[in-house]
Amino acid sequence: MARQKGIIKLKGTIGDITFYKTQDGHLAREKGGIDASRIKSDPAFQRTRENGSEFGRAGKAGKVLRTALRASLLNAADGRMVSRLTQQMVKVIQADMVSDRGLRNVIDGEVDLLVGFEFNIRGKLGTSLFAPFVASIDRAAGDIGVDLAPFIPANMIAAPGGTTHFKIISAGVEIDFEAETFVESHSESAILPWNSVATPAISQANEVTPASTKPLFLALGIEFYQEVNGQMYPLKNGAYNALSIVKVDGGV
């Protein structure tokens, strides 16, 4: 892969060179590679086929999780979140110690490896919200929630410049990775001032199927606002909003 220089940037293919644009700029690469039919049938590429199968499975699992959290992700995701989540799902699948290589899956893997995943690199929950919180998953009752005791926003929230207000959000998700279906519930606090006055206690409960046997996830986030003439506007169009997976129960 080579980086294009000069005033005129090319797109498309000329001869054996393909020119294209990415988040890293205008790039160029030489066409080539091994014939696809050979990869599908040649015994020498068995490992390649196994890796490809598991990577595809990771991509599908990531898509289901993203879709389940869509209501929360609309305001908190960076441009490379999809690829980062797929990479983490690959690690989840590779932790499967039961299935044969190429057949490893999320269910038999370690979904706990998703704890701490940040959906927005530009605004991480771990560097934005310092107020202690208690995350809980009650599988029997189907309750996925979070509680925050009263706290001083100016002391416990590292807000980007221009912030006047904020909101705490959470989402509980139950996912069937095999059927690619989910149950989701989400909550949000009132829009609260970012100042030196203690907040009220915040308690959010997100209901899913009671006694479910599927993996359960709790995502917690914060959204920033700027008040202008009495109106609340998402700060910088939500560029610094945070959302992170804070608790996981892998199922039974």
Side-chain angles (χ1 to χ4, degrees), residues 1-241:
M1 168 171 32
R3 189 176 299 276
Q4 296 186 51
K5 293 184 178 181
I7 299 175
I8 299 176
K9 307 300 183 183
L10 302 177
K11 281 187 178 181
T13 300
I14 301 177
D16 291 331
I17 306 297
T18 299
F19 301 89
Y20 58 103
K21 182 181 180 181
T22 72
Q23 293 181 358
D24 297 318
H26 290 78
L27 306 177
R29 65 185 175 193
E30 185 176 5
K31 294 173 62 177
I34 300 168
D35 185 81
S37 61
R38 182 182 174 192
I39 293 177
K40 292 180 180 179
S41 59
D42 193 329
F45 291 94
Q46 178 64 26
R47 297 285 86 84
T48 301
R49 292 193 292 274
E50 292 169 353
N51 291 338
S53 176
E54 293 183 353
F55 185 81
R57 203 169 291 125
K60 288 183 178 180
K63 182 179 180 181
V64 175
L65 180 57
R66 296 195 316 272
T67 303
L69 291 171
R70 179 172 173 77
S72 303
L73 283 176
L74 286 173
N75 299 319
D78 65 76
R80 294 184 174 175
M81 179 271 292
V82 173
S83 60
R84 291 192 299 104
L85 181 57
T86 299
Q87 290 173 2
Q88 195 62 21
M89 280 294 188
V90 168
K91 294 179 182 179
V92 170
I93 288 174
Q94 290 176 339
D96 177 357
M97 299 300 168
V98 179
S99 308
D100 293 336
R101 179 169 174 154
L103 299 176
R104 293 179 294 187
N105 59 83
V106 173
I107 301 301
D108 295 315
E110 293 291 340
V111 289
D112 286 353
L113 292 174
L114 293 171
V115 173
F117 181 82
E118 300 277 2
F119 289 93
N120 186 7
I121 288 296
R122 296 169 298 184
K124 298 180 180 179
L125 184 69
T127 57
S128 299
L129 179 65
F130 296 94
F133 61 86
V134 178
S136 61
I137 295 180
D138 186 335
R139 180 174 290 278
D143 182 32
I144 302 176
V146 62
D147 294 284
L148 295 88
F151 63 91
I152 304 295
N155 295 343
M156 304 306 289
I157 293 176
T163 297
T164 63
H165 291 73
F166 70 95
K167 179 167 64 178
I168 300 295
I169 65 171
S170 67
V173 180
E174 167 197 345
I175 297 184
D176 185 332
F177 285 106
E178 295 177 324
E180 299 182 20
T181 59
F182 62 86
V183 176
E184 184 269 354
S185 178
H186 56 272
S187 306
E188 58 183 47
S189 71
I191 296 179
L192 304 169
W194 184 65
N195 57 21
S196 298
V197 178
T199 68
I202 297 174
S203 181
Q204 298 182 349
N206 305 296
E207 297 181 358
V208 294
T209 307
S212 169
T213 60
K214 307 303 180 184
L216 304 177
F217 301 84
L218 170 63
L220 177 65
I222 183 169
E223 297 181 355
F224 298 103
Y225 295 85
Q226 185 175 70
E227 183 178 11
V228 178
N229 296 329
Q231 298 293 319
M232 295 294 174
Y233 297 90
L235 185 69
K236 298 186 184 297
N237 293 320
Y240 298 105
N241 291 345

